[in-house]
Amino acid sequence: MKKKKLKTKSFKLIGSFLVILLGIMMISRIKWTKENIDRIEYSNEAITIMKEKNIYDEITKKEYSKTVEKMLESGKFDSKYVDEYSKINLQEKENFEDSINTFLNKNYTPEEINNIFEYLNDTNQNKLKEMDHIDLKDYIKISNLEVDKIERYENYRIEKNTNIQDAVTKVNIGLDLEFYSEIETIKDPTSYTVLLNKYRGLPENYVPEDLTPLSINNNYKLRAKAAEAYEQLQSAALLDNVKFFPFSAYRTKEYQTELYTKYVARDGKNAADTYSARPRHSEHELGLAVDIRSDGLNDNLTEEHYKWMLNNAYKYGFIVRYAKGTTPITGYIEEPWHLRYLGIEVATDVHNKGITFDEYYDLYLKNNEK
Ligand SMILES: [Zn+2]
């Protein structure tokens, strides 16, 4: 009996040993097979080219790379970049193969190239292809980055002792240049959220098509939507006992010219520029701005009315465009009386973010319109 038990025990031991051995063999077999699969994951077409170029061994000893395969298949494979290709993530993009060759030829590292594809929009990518290599490290994740302005950003950042994000936005607005020194003509002046300032002007012949008189005084006109919003603003204000009157709304180019010329003659150009827009740069020429005053005598808004506007105008689609503290960005003195129509959605967002429309436009709108 005892002997038999011992025999069974040994059998069991040998049995377990065999099972473990078999297990190890199976695992190594799977591993061995996987290595082979990795090697032959390349398409036949890619393998043929590898062999033609005598780089089959070099490539297949590395991990499989979709980018390497794509470069081989497209005929754009440059043997000197075998290492680099294998570190670049494949992108489903038109001209991807040419793009990475261009960047590699400009000495961008695979890591930089991956970042370029991940963070930069097409406009920036295309600009980059036309430029010498630049170090994008601190700028790559800035959403409103324009790669051709990096030198200006750096100069501004150092001069003003500010951070990168602030430098990017301010330089994009144009603030490192003299007002009116470099003017971009707006492409779509009919947009309700178009930005007009001392760097951006209207096309010579633009006249809004849907000017509508305000009910309180039909000498004053705004574009239809803005006029309708103005009526709502006025009614809402009245409920809070805030009564105001328009004293300027849409202006023709000729009238803006007349005004500006008069102010220059009176106060000189430098002074006039601080409170009057040059022709084609006034929001009044858009039919989207209205100046309001608290009584019929002074072209101004009382402090109380100004505060009401700051807290409420956005609900009807308006912002106080040249609010207190905005002069360094807008280049205009405070104008509590000047309301700009943007539509409720954008006006609310500008209000909530508490920034000027110039900054808002650069950060959130410019990539959607021009
Ligand atoms: Zn105004």
Side-chain angles (χ1 to χ4, degrees), residues 247-248 251 282 284 289-291 322 335 337-339:
F247 69 92
S248 187
R251 295 174 195 160
S282 171
H284 289 282
V290 55
D291 294 334
Y322 307 112
E335 292 192 4
W337 57 83
H338 179 106
L339 300 182

Side-chain angles (χ1 to χ4, degrees), residues 60-269:
T60 52
K61 76 178 180 224
K62 291 182 203 295
E63 223 174 285
Y64 168 78
S65 153
K66 280 185 176 167
T67 302
V68 168
E69 185 173 65
K70 181 107 179 182
M71 296 308 289
L72 287 164
E73 288 175 353
S74 66
K76 303 277 168 68
F77 189 93
D78 188 335
S79 298
K80 68 174 180 270
Y81 295 132
V82 182
D83 274 344
E84 284 81 358
Y85 290 146
S86 66
K87 291 175 195 153
I88 295 171
N89 304 326
L90 182 76
Q91 307 286 331
E92 289 307 324
K93 260 180 92 76
E94 219 184 314
N95 302 325
F96 172 70
E97 301 91 331
D98 290 321
S99 298
I100 64 176
N101 278 340
T102 304
F103 290 130
L104 287 169
N105 288 336
K106 288 181 185 289
N107 293 322
Y108 283 97
T109 65
E111 196 194 349
E112 285 177 309
I113 294 172
N114 285 334
N115 281 337
I116 288 168
F117 286 121
E118 184 170 352
Y119 296 109
L120 299 187
N121 59 26
D122 288 354
T123 311
N124 275 328
Q125 287 182 25
N126 290 334
K127 279 181 187 170
L128 218 52
K129 287 178 199 165
E130 306 297 319
M131 298 162 58
D132 288 339
H133 178 276
I134 46 168
D135 186 1
L136 289 157
K137 197 167 46 130
D138 298 326
Y139 285 95
I140 190 95
K141 292 180 187 173
I142 303 279
S143 68
N144 54 335
L145 174 72
E146 293 174 22
V147 290
D148 51 336
K149 291 181 179 165
I150 286 187
E151 209 179 314
R152 283 170 61 189
Y153 299 150
E154 274 303 285
N155 292 337
Y156 188 89
R157 187 182 63 78
I158 292 160
E159 195 193 319
K160 303 285 176 182
N161 190 23
T162 188
N163 61 60
I164 285 177
Q165 177 63 75
D166 185 60
V168 169
T169 306
K170 299 283 172 62
V171 168
N172 285 350
I173 292 170
L175 291 165
D176 60 329
L177 307 171
E178 293 281 308
F179 289 133
Y180 295 113
S181 59
E182 227 171 73
I183 291 162
E184 190 183 338
T185 301
I186 285 160
K187 291 186 186 72
D188 181 15
T190 63
S191 161
Y192 287 101
T193 55
V194 71
L195 173 67
L196 202 57
N197 59 21
K198 298 186 183 199
Y199 302 101
R200 292 167 52 88
L202 284 168
E204 275 313 307
N205 302 316
Y206 177 68
V207 175
E209 281 178 356
D210 55 348
L211 292 167
T212 308
L214 302 182
S215 64
I216 195 168
N217 182 335
N218 61 17
N219 287 324
Y220 300 117
K221 292 178 182 135
L222 291 176
R223 287 185 58 199
K225 269 190 171 177
E228 196 189 322
Y230 182 86
E231 307 295 341
Q232 286 163 2
L233 175 77
Q234 190 175 249
S235 312
L238 267 180
L239 292 178
D240 284 346
N241 257 329
V242 173
K243 197 164 188 219
F244 56 87
F245 309 89
F247 69 92
S248 187
Y250 170 68
R251 295 174 195 160
T252 60
K253 179 175 78 177
E254 291 68 30
Y255 184 50
Q256 187 66 31
T257 308
E258 197 185 312
L259 279 176
Y260 179 73
T261 311
K262 186 177 87 183
Y263 296 139
V264 170
R266 190 183 70 188
D267 296 332
K269 204 167 188 169

Side-chain angles (χ1 to χ4, degrees), residues 236-364:
L238 267 180
L239 292 178
D240 284 346
N241 257 329
V242 173
K243 197 164 188 219
F244 56 87
F245 309 89
F247 69 92
S248 187
Y250 170 68
R251 295 174 195 160
T252 60
K253 179 175 78 177
E254 291 68 30
Y255 184 50
Q256 187 66 31
T257 308
E258 197 185 312
L259 279 176
Y260 179 73
T261 311
K262 186 177 87 183
Y263 296 139
V264 170
R266 190 183 70 188
D267 296 332
K269 204 167 188 169
N270 287 344
D273 275 335
T274 67
Y275 64 84
S276 175
R278 294 187 188 175
R280 296 287 84 179
H281 292 271
S282 171
E283 290 186 330
H284 289 282
E285 294 170 88
L286 285 171
L288 298 174
V290 55
D291 294 334
I292 52 171
R293 58 188 180 188
S294 297
D295 60 52
L297 298 169
N298 301 302
D299 290 351
N300 199 3
L301 214 57
T302 63
E303 190 65 22
E304 188 199 339
H305 287 185
Y306 170 61
K307 282 198 176 121
W308 190 93
M309 286 304 157
L310 284 180
N311 294 326
N312 297 283
Y314 71 91
K315 298 171 192 166
Y316 307 91
F318 290 94
I319 59 162
V320 181
R321 177 72 171 90
Y322 307 112
K324 295 179 183 178
T326 61
T327 303
I329 294 173
T330 66
Y332 292 107
I333 54 160
E334 296 165 11
E335 292 192 4
W337 57 83
H338 179 106
L339 300 182
R340 161 68 195 269
Y341 179 77
L342 290 168
I344 292 171
E345 195 186 322
V346 173
T348 303
D349 209 20
V350 173
H351 170 86
N352 290 342
K353 292 199 160 71
I355 53 178
T356 61
F357 183 56
D358 308 76
E359 294 163 286
Y360 184 88
Y361 181 87
D362 189 70
L363 283 161
Y364 306 107

